[in-house]
Amino acid sequence: TSVRLGAPQRTGTTTASFVVAAIGASQTISAVPPTVNPWPVGSNVQITDGANTIMAQVTTVSTVSFVATTTAVVSGAVGNTMASSAVITPVTASSFTVAALKASQSITLGSAAQAALFGPCSVIGVTDGANTITATVTGVSGSVLTAITTAITAGAAGNVMAANALITSTSSC
């Protein structure tokens, strides 16, 4: 069952430290989610404590933890300890071209369950550091969000938003 969240953010924090696993390996991550199951199986997430940042895909979920396979180590190194209270944020599964204002774009997430968390009318922010947009979700099909650009605060229309761009939800209807 997917849960559509109404919270302003889909982020959470780790409740215990863990050792950063090698790419392709799994680790169990204890976490305090913002609500029930914000990172369903198949979700892509970024986890960072400031010194270490990894990208991972959720493979198993329980009420107080989840198992995730490391897909990239952005900073820090395999074998480092990720500190407790590290921030967990959903990310895109692939790159996409930033649409012009009032134009539509497709944003692919890790799974249909993850995409369902951002229901139609959700206002989302997406950033890869170089590009930052605000968009209103108009539809969800499988793991793909269709969203109309309402603001571009960094970068420009036509730029490529990198894979693993951070996703936030600023409101929902």
Side-chain angles (χ1 to χ4, degrees):
T1 303
S2 62
V3 178
R4 182 168 160 211
L5 305 177
Q9 300 280 336
R10 303 293 193 285
T11 60
T13 56
T14 61
T15 57
S17 61
F18 65 92
V19 174
V20 174
I23 294 174
S26 297
Q27 59 244 311
T28 298
I29 300 164
S30 298
V32 175
T35 189
V36 177
N37 196 14
W39 312 295
V41 170
S43 295
N44 293 320
V45 295
Q46 173 188 276
I47 305 169
T48 185
D49 64 5
N52 302 287
T53 301
I54 66 168
M55 299 298 175
Q57 187 170 56
V58 177
T59 57
T60 307
V61 177
S62 76
T63 56
V64 295
S65 67
F66 61 91
V67 176
T69 301
T70 303
T71 57
V73 177
V74 177
S75 64
V78 169
N80 281 4
T81 298
M82 181 76 70
S84 181
S85 297
V87 176
I88 306 163
T89 307
V91 297
T92 61
S94 59
S95 61
F96 64 92
T97 301
V98 174
L101 291 175
K102 299 183 181 180
S104 185
Q105 62 227 316
S106 296
I107 302 170
T108 303
L109 304 185
S111 68
Q114 185 179 21
L117 296 174
F118 299 90
C121 299
S122 293
V123 176
I124 60 172
V126 185
T127 185
D128 64 4
N131 301 287
T132 301
I133 66 168
T134 302
T136 301
V137 177
T138 58
V140 179
S141 178
S143 63
V144 179
L145 302 177
T146 301
I148 295 173
T149 303
T150 57
I152 300 172
T153 53
N159 284 4
V160 174
M161 181 78 70
N164 294 320
L166 299 176
I167 306 166
T168 60
S169 177
T170 55
S171 68
S172 61
C173 15

